[in-house]
Amino acid sequence: MVCPWLENGSLTAYLERRYDTLTAVERLTLVSDVAAGLQYLHSRSVVHGDLSGANVLIHANGKARISDFGLSTLLTQLGGSTFATTHQVPGTLRWTAPELLDLQEHEDEENLPHIAPSPQSDVYSFGRIMLQILTGKVPYHYFTREAQVVHAMSRGVNPKRPSQELVTDSQWTFIERCWTPVNADQSRPGDQEILEFAKQELEMATQ
């Protein structure tokens, strides 16, 4: 698979360099771009499975593009261990849905459940991406060690609420919906709802 060269590199690196100079419209355009990309992948029955700040790339014109898509789906079809195979880059678990981490203890260690990514786990990761874009910081940025992140996620502790100047109440409510536990009564928002919310926020910012 060949992807075009995107001059501004990864989302994480781009935000580290440019966040203070980005306008609200530019940040929400990034959110909308990622939402549109995710909606397109899912419409083609492709689950990303490893969406993070490292594999959202930024074009020279400031547009965001999702990369490395479909790897987890391919590995799942081949019967591989999805999380163990695809989450080798340090820090990617900060964006990963907890159901993919399999934080439960199992009595039968020889017959562990096979965990596959889903559109819903991609939605969870989108919530993390949205938080990162709006704040300029990776999820759980106040934790320096990955073990701290795992411990927080194992207890169901989400990233802290940013200030309202960075993330509005409606944006935070939507982000939290993306992080809804899989066994909760309420479900995570669907692709179309994510795209519509992102476009609505962008339209409000341009007014």
Side-chain angles (χ1 to χ4, degrees), residues 106-118:
H106 300 282
E107 295 182 2
D108 186 0
E109 293 295 328
E110 294 183 359
N111 295 295
L112 296 177
H114 178 70
I115 303 172
S118 66

Side-chain angles (χ1 to χ4, degrees), residues 101-187:
L101 298 178
D102 190 25
L103 299 171
Q104 305 286 333
E105 292 187 6
H106 300 282
E107 295 182 2
D108 186 0
E109 293 295 328
E110 294 183 359
N111 295 295
L112 296 177
H114 178 70
I115 303 172
S118 66
Q120 291 71 37
S121 62
D122 280 351
V123 168
Y124 186 99
S125 299
F126 173 82
R128 295 286 209 250
I129 290 284
M130 185 173 172
L131 176 67
Q132 180 182 8
I133 293 173
L134 295 178
T135 64
K137 299 181 183 298
V138 299
Y140 300 108
H141 62 90
Y142 39 85
F143 289 151
T144 58
R145 293 182 291 113
E146 301 296 89
Q148 294 173 296
V149 177
V150 173
H151 181 63
M153 295 180 69
S154 68
R155 294 185 293 123
V157 177
N158 287 323
K160 297 176 182 177
R161 166 75 159 95
S163 68
Q164 194 168 13
E165 288 74 22
L166 297 177
V167 181
T168 66
D169 288 340
S170 63
Q171 290 168 349
W172 181 246
T173 298
F174 192 83
I175 288 172
E176 286 193 311
R177 283 191 57 207
C178 292
W179 300 339
T180 301
V182 290
N183 56 355
D185 294 333
Q186 185 184 25
S187 60

